[in-house]
Amino acid sequence: MARKELAVDTVAEAYLALLAERGVEYLFANAGTDFAPLVEAFAKAARTGMPVPEPVLATHENLALSMAHGYAMVTRKVPAVMVHVSVGTANGVCGVFNAARENVPMLFTAGRSPLTEGGLPGARDVYIHWAQEMFDQAGMLREIVKWEYELRNGRQLETVIDRALSVATTQPGGPVYLSLPREVLAEPLPGLSFDSPTRRGAASPPGVDKAAIDEAARIFAAAENPLIVTASAGRDPAAVEALADFAQRFAIPVVQHRPRHLCLPADHPCHLGYDAGPFLDSADAILVLECDVPWVPSLKAPQPECKVIHLGVDPLFSRYPIRGFPCDLAITGAPAGALPELGAALDRHVIGSKVSERRQRLAQRREKLLGGWQKTADSAADMRPIHMAWASACIARVKPDDAILVNEYTLMQEHCGSNLAGSYFGSSPASGLGWGGGAALGAKLAAPDRLVIAVLGDGSHLFGNPVAVHHASAMHKLPVLFVVMNNSMWGAVRRATMGMYPQGEAVRSNKPPLIDLDELPAFEQVCSAAGGYGERVEDPAALPAALERAIHAVNVEKRQALLNVICRGP
Ligand SMILES: Cc1ncc(C[n+]2csc(CCOP(=O)(O)OP(=O)(O)O)c2C)c(N)n1
Ligand SMILES: [Mg+2]
């Protein structure tokens, strides 16, 4: 078997070199005293030319994790992230949770306070080294990650890195956590010898059980009104094509509920929007495809006799404590492989007349749906404050086909559809706010030639640490267009309160507490302060030209831009 030798002097040097050897291109980092051996190793690599991941400094852990998330979702490669011991891990937990719930593989690492109080290279030499140590640093996120370990010895480096990466990338993917004590990183290591390529790779995606596919085909063949509901099938671009083909051949409507990826192109004849509600009464068979929450049962549920099939790499979402959707059949399988098999099985049933009749009904429903959307956007065109439907429609007009949209979570997709796989990313179902700005920077790092547009709420933008985000955009030369849909409130909290207490005190109050975000800073000036282009837009008629100016700043002047769009809610 092929072995490779590298001349290194410390575990830290070997660690970085091995990450690069295994394909890790970037280490997103928020540093502390625990980083000293790594800073030293990076500096040495810069001098010697030894390949190591590129360090990407992020001035907040949430930013580091969101950037890594954004990079990973676009490239489908594994990023590494490193933060400062216990306190950095604490700040990173929300970002790791977002990544975990969206099955984004990443190697999340943190230093550990030095273990020894003297005598070894790396031993404690700063007063924080006592208080920052925890009995169980990883306990903060053991529930969230797929695997967790502490590097105890330089000799186990290859096994540990390979195990971390293979567990993270085996489907369903997700973050793993590795802590790195300072003395271990500082240990002398006389050279590194390792397998190249690795002999501890990821496991293949789950294949499907033929009997289960036949059963699903039987259910679908018997159905008059089948429906597909998906959220994340498009995580794998090959699945977009498979879904488009399957839905088209059998004339099955597809609803994307709270999608995190583009699963079906917006111009596909089977694309029936983002809400399964209107289809649930008539549906007699539903395929829940890589979708954790296909509908909200307390609002609307399918008829009791409707058959429900769940298909995905973990169709039961086994890491969710409670999830009680009806499930007549659960099929473990990656959609890119499973859908063609389901198609082939369905072909063996004679359903031609059903399909052609369904195709007609589907076309009528789609026409009606699109007409309704158009009417909403048209009637919103001159509303002040600007309506989010109009703002979304304006973005649709100016964005190139291959633009990458990062939506946290104020873009109304029905007014701004995309057609290319890998061109839309929504926030994780965990919805830990503060993700969008960083994720957009990570996406830009992954796809420097594409326009990346982050659509954020005013609240989400603030959660994302805007000064840190704009600084990172300037520092790493990642020009992104930020569109802040600014309704000066946490609209979601308002809607939740109105929904639960429609006749309550809060509805009657002029200014219910904990909702309004008065006296918000001029977000556009915060972007300008970091060297970007910034504009406040209040006039709906001025929005298209403002978007053009902002895109010019990003594409031609190569600097970030922010439009502070003064909005009203949907
Ligand atoms: C880390 C985190 N804290 C709090 C929340 C709860 N939360 C959900 S939506 C929301 C308001 C978001 O406001 P904004 O981005 O302005 O969007 P709007 O609802 O106004 O359209 C909040 C506070 C959350 N999801 N994540
Ligand atoms: Mg808001």
Side-chain angles (χ1 to χ4, degrees):
M1 288 298 160
R3 302 278 300 170
K4 206 164 168 178
E5 317 281 330
L6 286 178
V8 295
D9 294 317
T10 64
V11 172
E13 289 171 35
Y15 171 69
L16 293 179
L18 200 50
L19 286 183
E21 285 282 340
R22 297 302 192 231
V24 175
E25 296 176 314
Y26 293 103
L27 179 88
F28 299 87
N30 185 282
T33 49
D34 46 348
F35 276 60
L38 289 169
V39 174
E40 189 63 13
F42 271 124
K44 183 171 166 193
R47 180 175 57 74
T48 61
M50 162 101 75
V52 293
E54 191 176 325
V56 181
L57 185 153
T59 57
H60 194 280
E61 291 81 359
N62 189 57
L63 173 61
L65 281 149
S66 301
M67 286 180 79
H69 186 145
Y71 161 84
M73 73 193 183
V74 173
T75 58
R76 307 185 76 220
K77 295 180 186 168
V78 189
V81 181
M82 181 155 170
V83 300
H84 175 56
V85 299
S86 51
V87 289
T89 300
N91 270 357
V93 167
C94 184
V96 190
F97 193 41
N98 278 338
R101 285 295 195 235
E102 196 31 48
N103 299 123
V104 178
M106 59 171 72
L107 174 61
F108 182 42
T109 69
R112 275 217 60 185
S113 301
L115 309 172
T116 52
E117 293 179 296
L120 284 176
R124 298 183 182 193
D125 56 5
V126 186
Y127 87 105
I128 54 163
H129 288 157
W130 279 262
Q132 282 185 340
E133 190 182 19
M134 292 176 74
F135 288 108
D136 185 12
Q137 181 172 303
M140 279 184 271
L141 41 63
R142 191 167 294 117
E143 176 180 342
I144 298 171
V145 297
K146 286 181 77 181
W147 172 94
E148 163 280 304
Y149 197 68
E150 177 168 300
L151 183 67
R152 298 182 188 142
N153 188 304
R155 315 276 151 181
Q156 59 170 177
L157 196 55
E158 181 183 5
T159 312
V160 168
I161 290 180
D162 284 352
R163 182 143 182 79
L165 296 177
S166 59
V167 171
T169 52
T170 293
Q171 292 192 33
V176 293
Y177 182 68
L178 176 65
S179 55
L180 302 161
R182 198 163 81 151
E183 294 97 326
V184 179
L185 288 177
E187 255 174 35
L189 195 72
L192 176 68
S193 165
F194 56 98
D195 291 317
S196 182
T198 178
R199 298 188 64 198
R200 285 155 295 274
S204 63
V208 286
D209 176 56
K210 197 176 164 312
I213 285 288
D214 287 345
E215 173 65 5
R218 216 185 43 73
I219 292 172
F220 258 59
E224 298 293 332
N225 285 314
L227 172 70
I228 298 172
V229 187
T230 184
S232 291
R235 181 182 299 125
D236 173 3
V240 177
E241 222 181 300
L243 177 59
D245 181 60
F246 179 76
Q248 172 65 7
R249 271 168 61 203
F250 302 103
I252 302 175
V254 177
V255 168
Q256 297 175 69
H257 188 225
R258 292 288 181 159
R260 276 80 77 175
H261 298 262
L262 181 142
C263 301
L264 192 71
D267 62 5
H268 191 283
C270 299
H271 187 300
L272 282 194
Y274 305 93
D275 178 12
F279 307 98
L280 293 181
D281 277 341
S282 60
D284 51 0
I286 302 179
L287 177 64
V288 177
L289 182 68
E290 286 295 359
C291 187
D292 51 350
V293 182
W295 52 82
V296 178
S298 62
L299 302 180
K300 181 95 193 156
Q303 296 297 321
E305 57 279 7
C306 173
K307 294 272 189 198
V308 184
I309 304 165
H310 296 245
L311 195 162
V313 288
D314 174 16
L316 300 186
F317 290 82
S318 50
R319 299 300 303 149
Y320 287 26
I322 284 292
R323 183 176 178 274
F325 296 97
C327 179
D328 300 297
L329 180 64
I331 307 178
T332 307
L339 287 171
E341 289 196 36
L342 185 55
L346 202 45
D347 267 337
R348 290 193 284 275
H349 296 261
V350 182
I351 53 169
S353 60
K354 269 189 195 177
V355 170
S356 46
E357 191 259 336
R358 203 151 64 206
R359 201 178 299 287
Q360 280 181 8
R361 270 185 290 140
L362 208 164
Q364 285 160 6
R365 285 206 88 145
R366 181 168 154 83
E367 201 183 308
K368 200 166 147 216
L369 191 71
L370 297 189
W373 291 346
Q374 187 62 49
K375 227 166 111 190
T376 306
D378 289 347
S379 63
D382 48 13
M383 285 186 192
R384 278 175 95 120
I386 292 171
H387 196 288
M388 288 181 192
W390 171 244
S392 303
C394 290
I395 295 171
R397 280 198 210 167
V398 296
K399 79 174 174 66
D401 271 354
D402 73 340
I404 296 177
L405 285 171
V406 176
N407 183 14
E408 187 176 19
Y409 62 99
T410 46
L411 181 80
M412 295 177 70
Q413 279 180 275
E414 57 268 45
H415 304 294
C416 188
S418 297
N419 292 322
L420 287 181
S423 61
Y424 174 88
F425 299 94
S427 34
S428 158
S431 200
L433 291 179
W435 165 86
L441 295 181
K444 185 71 182 175
L445 185 69
D449 298 329
R450 294 169 69 181
L451 175 66
V452 178
I453 307 176
V455 184
L456 313 164
D458 48 321
S460 318
H461 185 46
L462 281 177
F463 273 101
N465 233 315
V467 174
V469 167
H470 292 311
H471 166 242
S473 171
M475 179 184 191
H476 301 303
K477 310 215 171 354
L478 299 171
V480 160
L481 168 57
F482 302 96
V483 179
V484 180
M485 303 270 205
N486 184 354
N487 58 359
S488 191
M489 67 166 82
W490 289 337
V493 181
R494 182 171 180 275
R495 286 191 294 279
T497 310
M498 306 299 165
M500 271 185 82
Y501 304 101
Q503 317 293 338
E505 299 280 346
V507 170
R508 289 199 296 275
S509 138
N510 279 339
K511 200 171 164 57
L514 300 179
I515 286 172
D516 283 349
L517 304 177
D518 302 330
E519 308 301 329
L520 279 170
F523 294 130
E524 70 283 8
Q525 290 181 26
V526 181
C527 180
S528 308
Y533 176 82
E535 210 179 313
R536 177 184 169 97
V537 189
E538 288 183 61
D539 175 3
L543 186 54
L547 279 162
E548 298 283 5
R549 285 190 289 276
I551 290 175
H552 183 271
V554 169
N555 283 347
V556 179
E557 298 165 29
K558 306 284 180 213
R559 60 188 181 124
Q560 60 187 309
L562 184 145
L563 294 184
N564 185 6
V565 182
I566 306 306
C567 271
R568 72 167 75 199

